[in-house]
Amino acid sequence: MSEERTEISEIGEFGLIDHLNENIIIKNSSTIKGIGDDAAVIDAGDHVKVVTTDLLLEGVHFDMSYAPLPHIGFKAVAVNVSDVAAMNAVPKQITVSIALSNRFSVEAVDALYAGINAAAEHYGVDVIGGDTTASRSGLVISVTAIGESKKELLSYRSGAKVNDIICVTGDLGGALVGLQILEREKQVYLANPDMKPELDKYSYVTGRQLRPEARMDIIHELREMGIVPSSMMDVSDGLASELFHICKASKVGVTIYEDKLPIDKQTFDTAVELNLDPITCVLNGGEDYELLFTINQKDFEKLEKHPDIHFIGHVTKEEEGKFLVTKSGTAVQLKAQGWKHF
Ligand code: ADP
Ligand code: MG
């Protein structure tokens, strides 16, 4: 037998998930949607449950030299709530599993849970269980969130239709820029521990990185307005990468416009200071946890004046491809660089 070895980096995170999915067969009729969206969907009689899970590792997803424990706890919950929101569902329960090294005291775990409980309160979810174990490599947190929706209100990645309008909430790129600032200040501190980091002028972008908000407010507003997005996902890997997911799942193309992309002034100025291209940060920065969704044109009027929803482009036929129209009017092909862990 020949010993084959394929590097994970050759196929990437998404390639690996697709590869694993090839050997998974759904056996139960109550499994409405398995792998492939922001959350799985389970039939619960008169409604559906959605289930999503995320794993956060010290040194990969957070750095304890600048991320306070309560923020880490809050973020671990918020990123899961964001995936529930991305299905157009409402979160109800979470489980929380942690692995701790002996570096952690009861007080440290209390600090982590202060953030977890604050997020549970904020999003109206109950902590219903989890698991606790020892770790040899720092802190590991895994949160699973369960949400509810009506079947007909769900928004999958696969529902975008030609001529739908592409919408994004809030502003993008901030979390990536915030991370760069936190890393820079960490290096400055390591080189000279007497230097106090100057973080005040970066509070918005560092806040975007350290304590993101899931956009449940938008989900509730859409419901009140009677709008069901034709497709939706949250922006965790970067706008371009997420658009690729929607295009693949919906078998469509997209055209977006550079001058419509939402960027905060502090994000823009800080990106320039760091010699980063602000538009690249918007397109490829990760962890903003905003919502990317498409709506039918008939719903546009209802959302047009919304202060925090931006209309960045429209859905096209698959064969038309994926394009960004720059400020000078040139159409360039979108590239999905995403937020790669491998
Ligand atoms: P998100 O960024 O929205 O959390 P991911 O990119 O992590 O989504 O995951 C995409 C899909 O792949 C989801 O349906 C998720 O449940 C599934 N998935 C990820 N990792 C695995 C795995 N190791 N085994 C099975 N399914 C997985
Ligand atoms: Mg998601």
Side-chain angles (χ1 to χ4, degrees):
M1 209 175 89
S2 72
E3 276 191 30
E4 267 186 60
R5 183 188 158 89
T6 311
E7 298 303 327
I8 293 174
S9 57
E10 278 176 42
I11 57 173
E13 178 184 346
F14 302 129
L16 180 65
I17 296 170
D18 287 345
H19 172 73
L20 298 173
N21 200 13
E22 281 164 18
N23 294 316
I24 291 173
I25 297 156
I26 300 297
K27 293 167 284 296
N28 298 301
S29 61
S30 53
T31 307
I32 299 176
K33 173 80 193 173
I35 294 172
D37 217 298
D38 291 286
V41 180
I42 301 167
D43 190 3
D46 61 342
H47 69 285
V48 293
K49 302 265 189 212
V50 301
V51 182
T52 178
T53 196
D54 263 306
L55 183 60
L56 301 181
L57 269 78
E58 182 180 351
V60 178
H61 301 97
F62 57 86
D63 184 328
M64 290 194 52
S65 57
Y66 49 71
L69 279 163
H71 284 28
I72 296 170
F74 191 98
K75 183 170 176 176
V77 176
V79 300
N80 280 280
V81 168
S82 181
D83 276 324
V84 170
M87 301 304 294
N88 201 23
V90 178
K92 298 288 182 186
Q93 290 90 12
I94 55 171
T95 63
V96 181
S97 299
I98 51 174
L100 302 159
S101 63
N102 55 14
R103 187 158 55 84
F104 288 83
S105 60
V106 173
E107 288 74 17
V109 182
D110 279 344
L112 177 71
Y113 264 76
I116 291 172
N117 290 332
E121 187 62 35
H122 182 60
Y123 296 114
V125 298
D126 300 320
V127 180
I128 57 159
D131 196 17
T132 305
T133 179
S135 155
R136 283 171 209 226
S137 55
L139 176 63
V140 179
I141 311 168
S142 173
V143 173
T144 296
I146 302 164
E148 290 177 4
S149 186
K150 293 275 176 208
K151 199 173 177 179
E152 60 278 11
L153 295 183
L154 287 172
S155 293
Y156 291 97
R157 294 177 181 181
S158 56
K161 300 276 179 299
V162 176
N163 294 330
D164 281 357
I165 297 167
I166 304 170
C167 313
V168 71
T169 62
D171 55 81
L172 300 173
L176 169 72
V177 170
L179 179 63
Q180 304 303 317
I181 288 294
L182 290 164
E183 287 288 342
R184 184 182 78 180
E185 295 304 314
K186 181 185 172 184
Q187 297 312 324
V188 169
Y189 176 81
L190 289 176
N192 183 357
D194 296 330
M195 287 267 289
K196 263 224 154 297
E198 289 276 336
L199 285 174
D200 284 358
K201 73 181 255 222
Y202 306 111
S203 60
Y204 179 71
V205 290
T206 55
R208 296 286 287 169
Q209 169 58 223
L210 294 173
R211 200 180 181 284
E213 269 286 347
R215 299 307 306 261
M216 280 311 300
D217 56 328
I218 298 288
I219 298 304
H220 292 302
E221 284 180 45
L222 291 174
R223 286 196 175 193
E224 275 162 30
M225 286 184 270
I227 297 174
V228 179
S230 53
S231 72
M232 181 153 59
M233 64 184 298
D234 69 335
V235 184
S236 55
D237 292 326
L239 177 67
S241 167
E242 316 304 17
L243 283 168
F244 269 64
H245 282 302
I246 287 192
C247 287
K248 191 176 173 200
S250 300
K251 299 187 175 65
V252 294
V254 286
T255 297
I256 61 168
Y257 297 86
E258 182 182 354
D259 62 348
K260 308 272 187 211
L261 297 176
I263 183 164
D264 175 81
K265 184 167 185 322
Q266 190 179 98
T267 304
F268 187 96
D269 292 346
T270 311
V272 171
E273 181 191 324
L274 291 166
N275 282 323
L276 298 170
D277 172 28
I279 293 302
T280 306
C281 295
V282 168
L283 289 172
N284 297 319
E287 298 196 287
D288 288 311
Y289 298 102
E290 295 294 340
L291 291 171
L292 168 68
F293 57 96
T294 55
I295 54 166
N296 187 292
Q297 292 201 4
K298 72 171 169 34
D299 288 326
F300 177 66
E301 229 170 83
K302 287 188 243 171
L303 283 186
E304 201 182 352
K305 299 238 155 58
H306 196 291
D308 213 21
I309 296 178
H310 310 280
F311 309 99
I312 62 168
H314 58 272
V315 178
T316 59
K317 287 191 193 133
E318 188 170 32
E319 57 270 27
E320 288 178 49
K322 302 177 257 297
F323 284 97
L324 169 75
V325 179
T326 65
K327 281 182 185 147
S328 61
T330 328
V332 292
Q333 276 207 347
L334 263 183
K335 287 193 205 71
Q337 268 149 8
W339 194 244
K340 291 239 160 49
H341 291 305
F342 292 102

